[in-house]
Amino acid sequence: MVQLYGDERIDFLLAKENMRIIQSPSVFAFSLDAVLLADFTYVPKTRGKILDLCTGNGVVPLFLSTRSNVPITGVEIQERLYDMALRNIELNDLGDQLDMIHGDLKDMPGHYGNDKFDLVTCNPPYFPTPKADEQNLNEHLAIARHEIHCSLEDVVEACSRLAKSGGKVSMVHRPERMVEIIQLFKKYKLEPKRMRLVYPKEGKEANILLVEGVRDGKPGLKFLPPLYALTNDDEYTQELREILYGE
């Protein structure tokens, strides 16, 4: 049995009844964003390899392992979260497929050199770093939410340099930064190919953006149908229930 620390708990990984995940409300607990990214992205099934940046407790690699047999590596800068990710690999007996690196995503292109990936995924910090007195007092949550250790440009540049030519980069972010994301994708030779907006419910503004680009790809962007999270009765929509629970 893996060791738990502080307020950590073990949860089931949604529909994956045979998979569990260590989480902590004060350190890291995965959100809908990670689930949607793992569902949205293209995944190489039997050949190639995947890299997940800003992996947190390893939730995206865990989800992707249910869709693919290729090696998956997660990168996490926070040692506490990296340790949680290692224990999540052990908890689910996935050591033959998943591994983790404790490091800065900005260092990964140098670390891997000419060794490139078929898919790079990332659920990065969404918000520019506020003034010190406006940051979350919890250091773990502040680093996960704000661009303290990496800017959006740092993230896109690293993704581009780590993806092979023709390889895919998938990211979840906020709709208000869509133009910036497209500009940075184009700057770093990632051609935006698929996008999807997620809405809390019909009649509300979108609050999640899913985007996938191809390294050195040809122009041609497709917008997928919108995804609504809740019905007017504040129940999960049928589509979201299928994503979350396989129902």
Side-chain angles (χ1 to χ4, degrees), residues 36 40 173-176 178 194-200 205-211 222-229 239:
L36 294 177
F40 167 80
H173 218 288
R174 287 289 184 260
E176 58 264 31
M178 179 191 290
R194 293 196 306 137
M195 280 192 177
R196 191 174 201 190
L197 288 169
V198 183
Y199 299 78
E205 291 184 1
N207 61 351
I208 296 174
L209 169 69
L210 298 160
V211 56
K222 294 182 179 179
F223 269 91
L224 277 62
L227 171 61
Y228 298 102
E239 184 173 8

Side-chain angles (χ1 to χ4, degrees), residues 144-158:
R145 295 171 182 172
H146 296 283
E147 296 174 347
I148 294 171
H149 289 300
C150 61
S151 66
L152 179 55
E153 182 159 6
D154 291 333
V155 170
V156 175
E157 181 180 7

Side-chain angles (χ1 to χ4, degrees), residues 88-123:
N88 279 324
I89 293 174
E90 179 185 356
L91 181 65
N92 291 284
D93 195 26
L94 286 169
D96 290 341
Q97 183 183 11
L98 272 56
D99 70 300
M100 293 291 153
I101 293 176
H102 176 219
D104 189 326
L105 64 83
K106 298 191 293 292
D107 297 332
M108 291 304 105
H111 172 82
Y112 281 105
N114 292 324
D115 191 12
K116 307 295 185 181
F117 290 82
D118 299 80
L119 169 66
V120 180
T121 56
C122 189
N123 181 1

Side-chain angles (χ1 to χ4, degrees), residues 17-188:
E17 294 183 0
N18 61 332
M19 298 186 75
R20 294 175 295 168
I21 187 166
I22 301 167
Q23 308 216 88
S24 161
S26 65
V27 179
F28 189 92
F30 75 84
S31 64
L32 179 62
D33 306 37
V35 184
L36 294 177
L37 175 62
D39 176 76
F40 167 80
T41 186
Y42 150 87
V43 176
K45 296 289 177 31
T46 57
R47 297 179 62 183
K49 55 185 178 178
I50 299 170
L51 185 68
D52 180 54
L53 302 177
C54 306
T55 201
N57 63 354
V59 59
V60 171
L62 289 178
F63 275 121
L64 295 183
S65 73
T66 69
R67 298 180 56 199
S68 175
N69 295 319
V70 308
I72 306 172
T73 300
V75 177
E76 175 53 48
I77 195 169
Q78 296 194 62
E79 185 173 7
R80 182 79 164 77
L81 275 65
Y82 163 76
D83 179 66
M84 289 175 71
L86 288 179
R87 286 179 286 134
N88 279 324
I89 293 174
E90 179 185 356
L91 181 65
N92 291 284
D93 195 26
L94 286 169
D96 290 341
Q97 183 183 11
L98 272 56
D99 70 300
M100 293 291 153
I101 293 176
H102 176 219
D104 189 326
L105 64 83
K106 298 191 293 292
D107 297 332
M108 291 304 105
H111 172 82
Y112 281 105
N114 292 324
D115 191 12
K116 307 295 185 181
F117 290 82
D118 299 80
L119 169 66
V120 180
T121 56
C122 189
N123 181 1
Y126 292 149
F127 308 107
T129 303
K131 298 176 183 176
D133 60 355
E134 297 175 348
Q135 291 182 23
N136 195 306
L137 295 178
N138 183 315
E139 178 188 13
H140 299 294
L141 300 181
I143 291 172
R145 295 171 182 172
H146 296 283
E147 296 174 347
I148 294 171
H149 289 300
C150 61
S151 66
L152 179 55
E153 182 159 6
D154 291 333
V155 170
V156 175
E157 181 180 7
C159 287
S160 175
R161 292 176 63 190
L162 289 159
K164 72 179 187 181
S165 184
K168 292 183 170 62
V169 170
S170 294
M171 184 183 299
V172 59
H173 218 288
R174 287 289 184 260
E176 58 264 31
R177 303 192 73 179
M178 179 191 290
V179 173
E180 187 180 359
I181 290 168
I182 291 175
Q183 290 173 334
L184 289 170
F185 266 43
K186 298 287 278 188
K187 177 178 179 179
Y188 290 102

